[in-house]
Amino acid sequence: MGHPLLDFLLLLLIVAITTDVAASQPSGNITLNSLITAGENLSYWLSPSGDFAFGFVPVPSNSSLFLLAIYYAKLPNSSTIIWIPNRNQTLSLNSSVVLTTDGQLSLRDPAGAEVWNPSVQNAAYAAMLDSGNFVLASSSGSYLWESFSSPIDTILPTQSLGSNSELIAKLADDDFNDGRFKIKMQDNGDLVFYFIAVPTGFEYSQYWDTNTNISNSSLFFNSSGRVDLVSPTGQLIDTVTSINTNSTADFYQRGTIDPDGVFRHYVHPKSSANGAAAEWTSMDSKPGDICKALTKTGSGVCGFNSYCGYDRRGMVACQCPEGYSWVNPKRTYKGCKPDFAIPRCIDGFQSVGFRMVTVNNLDFPFQDYEQFYPMKADECTQLCLDDCFCAASILDGTGNCWKKKFPLSNGEKGSYVQRTAFLKVGNNDTLPSLSLERKKSLSLPASLGLGGSVLLNLTFLSATLIALGVRRKKQRQRLKGFKLGSNLRSFTYSELEEATKGFGEQVGKGACGTVYKGYLSTEQNGNPDVAVKKLRDFEPEMEKEFTNEVKIIGQTHHKNLVRLLGYCNQGVVRLLVYEYMCNGSLASYLFDGVRPPWKQRVEIVLGIARGLRYLHEECSTQIIHCDIKPQNVLLDGNFTAKIADFGLSKLLGTDQTRTITRMRGTKGYVAPEWFKNSSITAKVDVYSFGTMLLEIVCCRRNVEKEMTEDKAVLCFWASDCYMAGRIDLLVEGDDEAMNDMGSVEKFVILALLCLQEDPNLRPTMGRMMQMLEEKVAIPLPVIP
Ligand SMILES: *[C@@H]1O[C@H](CO)[C@@H](O)[C@H](O)[C@H]1NC(C)=O
Ligand SMILES: *[C@@H]1O[C@H](CO)[C@@H](O)[C@H](O)[C@H]1NC(C)=O
Ligand SMILES: *[C@@H]1O[C@H](CO)[C@@H](O)[C@H](O)[C@H]1NC(C)=O
Ligand SMILES: *[C@@H]1O[C@H](CO)[C@@H](O)[C@H](O)[C@H]1NC(C)=O
Ligand SMILES: *[C@@H]1O[C@H](CO)[C@@H](O)[C@H](O)[C@H]1NC(C)=O
Ligand SMILES: *[C@@H]1O[C@H](CO)[C@@H](O)[C@H](O)[C@H]1NC(C)=O
Ligand SMILES: *[C@@H]1O[C@H](CO)[C@@H](O)[C@H](O)[C@H]1NC(C)=O
Ligand SMILES: *[C@@H]1O[C@H](CO)[C@@H](O)[C@H](O)[C@H]1NC(C)=O
Ligand SMILES: *[C@@H]1O[C@H](CO)[C@@H](O)[C@H](O)[C@H]1NC(C)=O
Ligand SMILES: *[C@@H]1O[C@H](CO)[C@@H](O)[C@H](O)[C@H]1NC(C)=O
Ligand SMILES: *[C@@H]1O[C@H](CO)[C@@H](O)[C@H](O)[C@H]1NC(C)=O
């Protein structure tokens, strides 16, 4: 290695080989030991006339990749490729083709490994012929192999497509992979055009044929300008395409099955002496109207949910209906995707969030699953809008109405289509689709750890707070222009000491402090009971912030928030006075006794959502709760849910910190961003709401370590059930819920949306409320 002499010898050897090999002629017969290399100047062999070349052409989309191809050498670029050895094989720079000394044609990668070989030995020479045929010939001149015998999608004058041979369209103009159409010269004598499946090539159905039956016929491109079907004895049976004005002397001609399924007979002037911009022109084609070619299986000519029409030049133009867009605009055969979430078939959900778009002269002939008669346009429209399975409805001129399901296929539009399509599309609300990130690392031991904390937390702050209608009239005042804190009463410590009988009756205890029941004899309103919260660890320097925050909390007025009635800031003592909630916390309501009625739970969900929406979006200063959990939702005498303890996170000065020790919130309910270096937004409450939503549906705590591993963590179990299509397992034994599976499913999906790892993917509470109230469509959940 690295020996100078060795290197020199090696160099000599290489020089010897390359000089020997590089001496090949670019046109005429190609002698043994000739070589062409991708990326070099002479990387092709020309036909004697120079019309055709066999060699390397750069891939249009990537000039560092090449195809080995036969192409029109004189046309401005090498875009018209007639033949390639392997449809889907791109080659890198320095790939080469060698006609070896033992008469084999070998395509090699830059390292010299063989990539392709037509399996012919002892050829005497090779030749790129003026017909466009590349041949390996014996010394007697007979062809051992020819490119004409393995066509791709094109045949040329003098070429024939023998019995049992096929032409397969490219997938797209720049994608040589097998496409969606083929022409087969069947041995029964019929020339048949097939729709085929990508990628297997399975034959869906035929869309055109010559309907001929003379065995062993072949397709022959007669140089006088016709593509004929000829019998084994050479007799003309049928003509597939023909032109009669453009001679092969002055025009290149080719017959190609294009990616749109049409076999076109193209001509191209050999010289553009007249100065006209020379291009390929289709002079004849089969079938005449490809848009009318239908296939029961597969998408038809255009992709799924797309429809077929023609542009001004008469070329096939596939289009997406309103409300849909291309899956890939450069690959229209991939079809159109709805720009909205496909309706979920949940009771009462069907038409909400959707509208109908009318398109005249459009039909999707298949995919119907129901038919009605007689129908008027508005009836046919409404039937589809009200049916969650319905993607579109089609009305004909006599009153037949068909409901169609996804994916739509074989769409055809044109004045001859005497039908009207009504397409169901989403209102313009677009939602992120669900992608629940499950941390595989959070295995059961970790979950149990959380479970322990949750159980501990449950003992805190269970019953709390509540009522006394201080100045009910003032409560009704509008928020705007409301004077800061004007409806809050400032208490003295002794007043509250007296009201709570010396802080004797403790009704709750939590992270923020201890809650005592009190009784205010001075209040005229019906309910004199109050809950007095003694804040713990209050730091004197927070004096100013305390007053500010209390005023902000005091401004909140909402049916689903626990009212702050007053406060006391005397010395180091900080007390908050709330209305008293006689039915205690949601936690004890859900977990401590018999299962509460389903209807009541549904109302509670709506109440909490409204309260949170108010905090996040409707009050003058946004309030992020940071500790949403069943212990912090209280129930009044009518079991109306009221959120408690909001605004305290800022009051306690903990909302800006993300360290776990000082983090506000309760394990099991806190959003993942608390553990990351990302900003804390209102979406942390949305996450907690998601957890709580599942708890309300199932009447169980998020973490129950007594349960089996698969069920121990409710969020995971719920997503498992959802994925398995067994949401019913979550409410097993709960007959009321079982009878309202539509709502159960809705809640579970919404909860899963809230539990997205990425806060941006969680809905806002405003959006959540709309989805709960079924005012907008709920996205189709995608769980990896
Ligand atoms: C190619 O070789 C064959 C057979 O040796 C010969 O008949 C033919 O004329 C040659 N063609 C050219 C263009 O040299
Ligand atoms: C290749 O082509 C370039 C530009 O046409 C020319 O400068 C260069 O000398 C050529 N190389 C060889 C080996 O012919
Ligand atoms: C072109 O192909 C090469 C080799 O496969 C690849 O490394 C490169 O990224 C491609 N370039 C483009 C623009 O796609
Ligand atoms: C080269 O081929 C592309 C298609 O691949 C075509 O759009 C372009 O017009 C061609 N250029 C010329 C000069 O013909
Ligand atoms: C190319 O096509 C062959 C056969 O059609 C197939 O086996 C192979 O996987 C394809 N390769 C690529 C990269 O598509
Ligand atoms: C191709 O060959 C040339 C000259 O032999 C060499 O300089 C170049 O590095 C090679 N490139 C690749 C990608 O093999
Ligand atoms: C071929 O077709 C002709 C007419 O279309 C019919 O008379 C004849 O029986 C067919 N022959 C066979 C073998 O099917
Ligand atoms: C068709 O061709 C095959 C193979 O060349 C042959 O075996 C068969 O007899 C032919 N059939 C007819 C009807 O000519
Ligand atoms: C091509 O068609 C002409 C008639 O237009 C006919 O005379 C000639 O024999 C055909 N050629 C072949 C090879 O079949
Ligand atoms: C031949 O084809 C061209 C299209 O390239 C067309 O315009 C012309 O009319 C045709 N006929 C003759 C005689 O050139
Ligand atoms: C939806 O958006 C489109 C364009 O973005 C607009 O033309 C249409 O009026 C909107 N429809 C509704 C119901 O908002």
Side-chain angles (χ1 to χ4, degrees), residues 454-698:
V454 169
L455 288 176
L456 268 182
N457 279 310
L458 285 179
T459 60
F460 295 153
L461 203 97
S462 39
T464 327
L465 317 180
I466 323 297
L468 178 85
V470 176
R471 297 160 201 169
R472 289 280 171 180
K473 281 172 204 154
K474 281 194 179 169
Q475 280 183 29
R476 302 274 170 251
Q477 280 181 286
R478 302 273 300 281
L479 252 182
K480 293 222 169 74
F482 191 83
K483 205 157 171 287
L484 268 187
S486 64
N487 65 336
L488 283 184
R489 176 170 163 190
S490 174
F491 291 92
T492 63
Y493 185 76
S494 52
E495 272 179 299
L496 293 180
E497 194 172 27
E498 187 185 328
T500 57
K501 298 200 171 77
F503 299 102
E505 190 180 347
Q506 185 179 321
V507 291
K509 188 170 178 179
C512 327
T514 312
V515 184
Y516 303 90
K517 187 173 179 186
Y519 181 87
L520 289 180
S521 55
T522 54
E523 295 299 329
Q524 288 100 28
N525 192 283
N527 190 349
D529 292 337
V530 291
V532 177
K533 174 170 275 193
K534 207 175 196 175
L535 297 182
R536 97 161 55 138
D537 298 335
F538 192 76
E539 291 163 25
E541 62 268 27
M542 290 166 60
E543 168 77 48
K544 194 170 172 202
E545 200 173 345
F546 177 85
T547 323
N548 274 342
E549 289 307 314
V550 163
K551 282 175 180 171
I552 288 169
I553 297 168
Q555 280 178 70
T556 59
H557 298 268
H558 194 273
K559 186 179 170 220
N560 298 109
L561 299 180
V562 174
R563 284 271 295 137
L564 180 68
L565 304 174
Y567 60 96
C568 163
N569 60 343
Q570 242 178 302
V572 294
V573 183
R574 292 295 177 275
L575 295 164
L576 296 172
V577 181
Y578 292 98
E579 55 179 332
Y580 185 78
M581 294 284 138
C582 60
N583 278 320
S585 78
L586 179 62
S588 53
Y589 174 75
L590 286 179
F591 309 138
D592 293 353
V594 292
R595 180 170 33 226
W598 172 248
K599 282 229 162 61
Q600 225 164 52
R601 278 143 64 202
V602 171
E603 281 309 311
I604 286 170
V605 168
L606 294 173
I608 298 167
R610 287 191 189 103
L612 272 178
R613 177 181 60 182
Y614 175 85
L615 288 177
H616 289 175
E617 296 173 16
E618 291 165 11
C619 41
S620 45
T621 311
Q622 184 188 51
I623 297 176
I624 304 175
H625 191 295
C626 294
D627 197 11
I628 287 293
K629 57 180 175 180
Q631 293 82 351
N632 282 338
V633 173
L634 304 175
L635 302 171
D636 73 2
N638 299 320
F639 290 95
T640 301
K642 297 190 181 231
I643 298 168
D645 274 5
F646 53 90
L648 293 192
S649 63
K650 209 158 190 188
L651 237 177
L652 297 174
T654 49
D655 67 327
Q656 300 305 326
T657 168
R658 252 166 262 111
T659 61
I660 294 177
T661 46
R662 296 215 61 201
M663 178 182 71
R664 168 114 176 125
T666 304
K667 284 173 188 168
Y669 298 90
V670 297
E673 52 266 35
W674 283 108
F675 304 97
K676 298 177 183 169
N677 194 22
S678 48
S679 59
I680 298 305
T681 65
K683 294 291 181 70
V684 300
D685 287 348
V686 177
Y687 186 94
S688 309
F689 176 77
T691 305
M692 194 161 69
L693 185 50
L694 289 177
E695 292 179 319
I696 296 171
V697 168
C698 304

Side-chain angles (χ1 to χ4, degrees), residues 60 75-80 278:
L75 296 189
N77 58 28
S78 21
S79 62
T80 314

Side-chain angles (χ1 to χ4, degrees), residues 238-249:
D238 198 359
T239 295
V240 178
T241 56
S242 78
I243 58 172
N244 40 33
T245 54
N246 299 79
S247 75
T248 46

